[in-house]
Amino acid sequence: MAQGSSQLLHRVAVIVDEGTNPFEVGVATELFGLPRPELGLAGPLYDVTLCTPTREVRMNHGFFTLTGVPGLEAADAADTLVVPGRPDNVVPRGVAVLDAIRRTHARGARVMSLCTGSFALAEAGLLDGRRATTHWRWADSFRQLHPRVLLEPDVLFVDDGDILTAAGSAAALDLCLHVVRHDHGAEVANAVSRRLVFAAHRDGGQKQFVERPVPDVPDESLGPLLAWAQERLGEPLTVADLAARAAVSPATLHRRFRTQLGTTPLAWLTGERVTLACRLIERGEERLDVVAARSGLGTAANLRARVRRATGLSPSAYRRRFGPGGGERLVS
């Protein structure tokens, strides 16, 4: 990846509007803007700029006031524009903010919203006829205001190519890690997630709202089972094997995964195997049959299909971009 001058880095602009939630702004700056010593880098992965429509912006509930940052013209130079949410979603955004969002998208930059920032993207007309998500609490309001959007209200985030939307505050972390993984590979994303002490990968299709009741039995946690499975991904593990290890029926295991992780045992297992396959490719393994076997994906054909579905790239393209000496790291 390019790490020389900031001019070589992918440029990210974060719009901070009146009432913007500070948490999502913090997520964007934490994931994209901080130095990455855990990766052996002196600087960040991206060149991040905050920008505002006015010289002084009061954030949500007036806890913070932002001054001294660039105006919205900074969005015109961005390769990715991030639009965080705010609580007053039925109040229209200012014309200047909407115009900045439209201009950025029209020239081909990537646009992403965090939490209810999707309201701004919809108001700018970017989401008509496209898939998107927003916080479950405001899903009905979103549908009423923007009926032409293909809203998916029960997922963590939606990656629709050049437009990405995250459901809520925690899902903003998931989406930003997803972007880091897309731009810089699984190894880098995993290193960033470890520093955050956050789950390395939650698929965007997982449920937003996951009930986590206090278990009747103290050892019901899936943690030990997940750790056991992650050490054995290359083995022919099945859902039945996981259930046997946990000493429960497959149906009970399915319910626990749904309750605690918001996904199914099979989907979790497949996702872990794809992540391992990507890491093996990044580390230099060129034989697809070896990658498929060591990751538990079985065949090269299944590996190709799963990697393409998860990353949008074939294994060979993924290797060219993220493998040793890869020359296609994301730059502006």
Side-chain angles (χ1 to χ4, degrees):
M1 71 197 69
Q3 289 295 336
S5 66
S6 62
Q7 284 73 26
L8 295 177
L9 294 178
H10 184 96
R11 293 162 296 189
V12 175
V14 183
I15 289 183
V16 184
D17 198 4
E18 192 74 19
T20 291
N21 293 325
F23 182 86
E24 285 89 65
V25 176
V27 167
T29 54
E30 169 77 31
L31 267 293
F32 299 140
L34 293 189
R36 290 293 165 202
E38 68 272 23
L39 298 173
L41 303 176
L45 293 170
Y46 302 85
D47 178 9
V48 176
T49 301
L50 303 183
C51 58
T52 58
T54 57
R55 296 179 65 181
E56 181 176 292
V57 167
R58 295 179 71 254
M59 300 174 74
N60 190 5
H61 285 85
F63 287 121
F64 302 95
T65 299
L66 191 63
T67 60
V69 300
L72 293 177
E73 65 276 3
D76 295 327
D79 303 298
T80 293
L81 180 65
V82 180
V83 184
R86 66 182 193 186
D88 52 344
N89 301 303
V90 297
V91 177
R93 296 267 182 162
V95 173
V97 170
L98 297 178
D99 284 346
I101 294 172
R102 294 186 189 106
R103 289 196 310 271
T104 302
H105 180 253
R107 61 180 173 79
R110 180 170 60 190
V111 178
M112 55 189 291
S113 66
L114 307 180
C115 195
T116 56
S118 51
F119 278 80
L121 303 194
E123 192 176 350
L126 271 59
L127 299 182
D128 286 352
R130 301 188 62 158
R131 298 168 51 242
T133 192
T134 195
H135 193 290
W136 60 267
R137 184 179 176 187
W138 286 278
D140 290 340
S141 174
F142 188 96
R143 284 196 184 97
Q144 292 173 6
L145 289 170
H146 308 290
R148 297 178 63 185
V149 179
L150 305 180
L151 185 68
E152 298 183 15
D154 195 35
V155 299
L156 292 177
F157 62 83
V158 170
D159 181 344
D160 199 37
D162 59 337
I163 298 179
L164 304 91
T165 51
S169 295
L173 283 164
D174 292 299
L175 179 56
C176 289
L177 277 171
H178 170 78
V179 168
V180 171
R181 185 177 300 105
H182 176 275
D183 293 347
H184 297 283
E187 286 282 3
V188 171
N190 287 343
V192 173
S193 69
R194 284 195 297 272
R195 180 174 175 185
L196 292 171
V197 195
F198 189 73
H201 178 64
R202 291 198 300 170
D203 185 79
Q206 290 187 31
K207 293 169 60 179
Q208 284 188 39
F209 182 69
V210 180
E211 295 183 11
R212 297 178 183 270
V214 177
D216 295 328
V217 182
D219 61 355
E220 271 193 5
S221 169
L222 290 174
L225 176 64
L226 302 185
W228 177 84
Q230 286 170 330
E231 294 296 322
R232 295 164 175 80
L233 293 175
E235 300 177 13
L237 288 179
T238 65
V239 174
D241 294 328
L242 296 180
R245 175 70 183 182
V248 297
S249 69
T252 297
L253 185 70
H254 190 279
R255 286 195 297 271
R256 288 186 183 175
F257 265 76
R258 278 293 187 188
T259 299
Q260 297 185 40
L261 299 180
T263 189
T264 66
L266 181 58
W268 177 84
L269 190 59
T270 300
E272 291 295 310
R273 283 171 164 159
V274 171
T275 297
L276 175 57
C278 289
R279 296 179 73 177
L280 291 171
I281 293 171
E282 291 179 33
R283 291 171 180 174
E285 179 55 66
E286 297 185 356
R287 298 164 295 177
L288 294 189
D289 56 339
V290 173
V291 174
R294 290 180 61 186
S295 64
L297 291 174
T299 67
N302 189 42
L303 170 70
R304 291 188 187 95
R306 294 293 183 180
V307 170
R308 183 178 290 278
R309 180 178 179 182
T311 68
L313 300 170
S314 67
S316 58
Y318 191 90
R319 181 187 301 112
R320 287 194 299 271
R321 181 166 177 176
F322 299 119
E328 299 182 20
R329 300 291 188 174
L330 188 68
V331 296
S332 59

